Amino acid sequence: MLKESGEMKDRIKGGSYMLESKNVNVFYGDKKVLQDVTLQVPENTVTALIGPSGCGKSTYLRLFNRMNDYIENFRKEGDILIDGKDIYRKDAEIEELRKTVGMVFQKPNPFPKSIYENVAYGLRIQGINNKDVLDEAVEKSIKKAALWDEVKDDLKKNALALSGGQQQRLCIARTLAVEPSIILMDEPASALDPISTAKIESLIYELKQNYTIVVVTHNMHQAGRISDKTGFFYLGELVEFGDTKQIFTNPKNKKTENYISGRFG
Amino acid sequence: MNNARVNRIKDVLFKYFGIVCTLSGLIILAIFILNILIDGVQRIDWSFMSSLPSRFPERAGILTAWTGTFWIFCLTAAIAIPIGVGAGVYLEEYSKKGWLANLLEINIANLAGVPSIIYGILGLEVFVRILGFGASLLAGSLTLALLILPIIIVATREAIRAVPKTIKEASFALGATKWQTISRQVLPASASSIITGIILALSRAVGETAPLIVVGALAYVPFVAKTPMDEFTVLPMQIFNWVSRPQHGFTINAAAAIIVLLCFVFLMIGIAVYIRNRAQKKNPW
Ligand SMILES: Nc1ncnc2c1ncn2[C@@H]1O[C@H](COP(=O)(O)OP(=O)(O)O)[C@@H](O)[C@H]1O
Ligand SMILES: [Mg+2]
């Protein structure tokens, strides 16, 4: 995948967005939870998905790394494209997809292993066990996740002994180690205190240089601070999508305006 | 008297009732063990452990019995662990949920409650006769493996189910396959509970007598088993045989053999408890 921003503009002109969904419907059994969602995400941007809880944000996010596949009666209509390719096509390799599309979850979920092994895991499962390679990747990833100074002397320590905020940054480091081009984050700071939240936010801002990030949040101020684009979901529909500034200062849709101004949600 | 006071008295009464219940169980057990110890402990020495059975109580030993128990323990473990853990992993992680899975689940739970002598009859028919293994260690171990399989399967499934879904999701999200997730995350995280279940199941197998009698374990075996196809006896069989004899000397021998068997079982349970305690410190869930 292409990372330089110069090429990015060409790609978009050529019609190939980093992430794209076309007329997507999602059902859990008979229940329709997403309705005709069409959205395009350009490379190296942060896109925030906002909306009241239960409106389908997580479901939508998890379409892009096929995490919904594990839900028994999940069904999707429409196309999900990454870099112009349908990721639900018959011969798509899910494991390969997930090396390109990383995910950070709502609740920090480190493995009950050492800090080092948490970060090395994604490489080990690819068969990379060379100590020098792993050492380097672990250090690089933890540094990128702004956690290095806090853990560098104690990489053997169990990850569960870290604070919640540190655990979440470790989870980000673990995701970065696989070198994805896209990172999906599902309310990554909602379980954290304000200081940890601020750290995660500035980290997202940093990572934008090299990654395409989609972040679900129900904290509107957070969306305003960190994102370039914002999409507002309501009852399974993408009500409005546009530049964050426009959405927050001049929403076109009445429902968006009501939500932004805190009248419901 | 007001209501609160009545309730307080009830509370205290129930507490003492509980204490009495607990103590009576413990006291009876303590008396039993003490009795056995007094009878048997001076009989345990090297020659008791290393002698073959005999018509004379002073000369009889438990060499064939404890080696038989040891054989049975190892063979049963070798058969039951891979099959039980494998089946547990399959049922929990791979099988499609549906009526068939439900039927299997109910049946496995029921199998754990089937009287052990029924397994003996099954073993006699299938392993001893149809497969022609005779009254061998192999036939006995296969029978006991069947007996403890449901316990191991249920323990494995429960242990796996206790691993948080978020751990599996994290592994998948990093590009791991299902088998990598199971072998590198799920099994290590549940290993201590699985091992605890296995040890408790094996300690049950080691104490079983009825199914082995049916399969044809002998009361008198004048040699130490060398291969899995040899005939055998085990400690519970030897004890059963000795207590049914009139001479007082054999009663003492039986008490001594019971001590040896109890030591073995307690040792295993101790290991299981140790593993569980150590794991609880490591894993918070
Ligand atoms: N596994 C599931 N099975 C059935 N319904 C689900 C499942 N997961 C979520 N839902 C439903 O789908 C809708 C969207 O949920 P979700 O995507 O989690 O919303 P959000 O992340 O915006 O809070 C909700 O109504 C929720 O109850
Ligand atoms: Mg959600």
Side-chain angles (χ1 to χ4, degrees), chain A residues 1 8 16 20 25 39 43 51 59 77 80 87 89 91 101 111-112 120 122 124 132 153 179 202 216 233 238 241:
Chain A
M1 258 176 231
M8 170 198 114
S16 202
E20 197 171 355
N25 299 320
L39 183 153
E43 196 170 20
T59 301
E77 294 169 349
I80 301 281
I87 60 168
R89 67 184 187 279
D91 63 339
V101 187
F111 302 124
R124 285 200 192 277
D132 294 336
D153 301 321
E179 301 194 332
S202 65
V216 168
F233 280 82
L238 180 62
F241 180 64

Side-chain angles (χ1 to χ4, degrees), chain A residues 188-227:
Chain A
S190 68
L192 306 179
D193 61 272
I195 293 173
S196 303
T197 301
K199 281 187 187 155
I200 300 277
E201 283 181 15
S202 65
L203 181 54
I204 291 173
Y205 199 81
E206 285 289 311
L207 291 173
K208 190 171 84 167
Q209 314 288 324
N210 299 302
Y211 303 87
T212 306
I213 297 173
V214 183
V215 51
V216 168
T217 173
H218 62 220
N219 178 337
M220 265 167 319
H221 302 290
Q222 185 172 70
R225 279 191 299 267
I226 60 175
S227 68

Side-chain angles (χ1 to χ4, degrees), chain B residues 125-182:
Chain B
E125 194 53 37
V126 175
F127 303 127
V128 178
R129 293 192 182 143
I130 296 179
L131 293 176
F133 295 152
S136 64
L137 280 165
L138 183 63
S141 303
L142 284 165
T143 306
L144 290 179
L146 277 188
L147 175 76
I148 62 170
L149 263 179
I151 310 175
I152 296 182
I153 293 174
V154 170
T156 302
R157 295 189 64 175
E158 275 168 10
I160 288 178
R161 214 174 300 157
V163 177
K165 214 176 96 209
T166 55
I167 295 288
K168 286 195 242 174
E169 281 193 327
S171 174
F172 286 133
L174 289 166
T177 61
K178 189 155 190 172
W179 174 240
Q180 284 174 327
T181 301
I182 292 171

Side-chain angles (χ1 to χ4, degrees), chain A residues 28 31 33 53-59 71:
Chain A
Y28 291 130
K31 192 169 139 201
V33 296
S53 97
C55 66
K57 306 179 298 291
S58 298
T59 301
I71 297 169

Side-chain angles (χ1 to χ4, degrees), chain A residues 62 65 67 70 72 95 98-99 101-103 105 109-113 121-122 124-125 158 160 174-175 178, chain B residues 97 165-178 180-182 184-185 188-189 282-285:
Chain A
R62 292 158 68 98
N65 65 344
M67 279 315 258
Y70 302 107
E72 236 164 277
E95 287 81 28
R98 290 177 183 151
K99 286 172 200 161
V101 187
M103 179 167 241
F105 295 84
N109 55 353
F111 302 124
K113 300 179 176 213
Y121 183 73
R124 285 200 192 277
I125 55 176
N158 193 312
L160 297 171
R174 176 175 77 179
T175 303
V178 186
Chain B
K97 309 282 172 274
K165 214 176 96 209
T166 55
I167 295 288
K168 286 195 242 174
E169 281 193 327
S171 174
F172 286 133
L174 289 166
T177 61
K178 189 155 190 172
Q180 284 174 327
T181 301
I182 292 171
R184 292 172 189 240
Q185 298 295 347
K282 248 172 46 190
N283 284 352
W285 60 80

